[in-house]
Amino acid sequence: MDFTPTEEQTAARELAAQIFGDLSTHERLAAAGTGSDAELWKALCAAGLVGAAEDIGLLGLVLVLEEQGRTTAQVPLAATCVYGLLAVAAHGTDEQRARLLPVLRDGRAVATGAFPAQGGVRASAPGRLTGSVPYVPWLRDATHVLVPDADRALWLVRTTDAEVAEVETTAPWAAGRLVLSQTPGERIGGPGAYESVLALGRTAFAGLQAGVCTGSLARAVEYTSTREQFGRPLSTNQGVLIRAADAYMDTEAIRVTAYEAAWRYDEGLPHATQVLTAAWWASEAGKRVVHAGQHLHGGTGADLDHPVHRHFLWGRQLDAYLGCGSELLAELGQLLAREPSCESR
């Protein structure tokens, strides 16, 4: 394994860090409330960062999403790249790629996905979908939503053709309830497309969680290094040091497992177990890290307006979105029990 980023991946990460650092500030996030930051989204698209996802691979996308997670920037970057740009690029027809990729690259179209499949949507000929999905992240911002039906076939639906109802989630992800009633959809890909896009999504959102945890821990380190109690910084207390060290180890585990899953995906190697491992670490350890970040801020951590609280909300949201640790562990166990067949996935 070699996780050393290429020049293109490094450039994308550095550009993302600059844009998120400049525009996803505490003041702008507070002003955005529970909505998305439209100006930041325009800046990302204008800089070519959305379209770059096609060129920098999944590992490059993970690096970019880490930078988003550090600042909890409220834009549908992961969803559009995974469920729109990369899904269509990998599984769309020539006509679909020619029609959809340009508008996804420049931000005129925003995509999301009703993943993982919950079996609540059924397809009937000719390409009509019926059913509902209780929660889809970024659905209120999206122009298109990628929907797996009960047989795990993928359909791209225009949100203007569906019923979208607002759903409030732990983090401000502009989520919505999707209701389909003989709604037209266009088929994307064939057998195996669902599993491929699910792996993309789990790895990408694990990378996002690595950034959320890094940001939370950085804030905790800054606070405990400057806040004094009994004439010395809080960080000199052994209990604080141990808690921060555990959070650091958890964050590194999330990062390295996400890198491994992304690298194996990019290299075309078997990656099913690695993707589930990355998702499990992001879910289980991510939850521990954002709790630690808040607890190490003492009473300040309970302030709903403090920046560290956003990391707490995002960490818990990602934990739930990735499937929660016990569910992922059960799926990983079932996969391992079927070895060696799982290595062919």
Side-chain angles (χ1 to χ4, degrees), residues 18-19 50 67-68 90 97 102 114 117 142 193 197 209 224 233 236 240 242 251 264 267 299 309 317:
Q18 179 183 343
I19 295 175
V50 178
E67 300 304 325
Q68 180 189 1
R97 284 194 285 268
V197 176
Q209 182 74 302
T224 56
T236 59
V240 173
I242 292 173
T251 302
R264 294 183 70 89
E267 294 294 319
H309 191 67
Q317 186 68 58

Side-chain angles (χ1 to χ4, degrees), residues 202 276 279-280 283 319 322-333:
R202 282 173 164 167
L276 279 168
W280 181 81
S283 177
D319 166 37
L322 286 165
C324 295
S326 57
E327 295 179 14
L328 292 165
L329 204 58
E331 188 176 342
L332 178 59

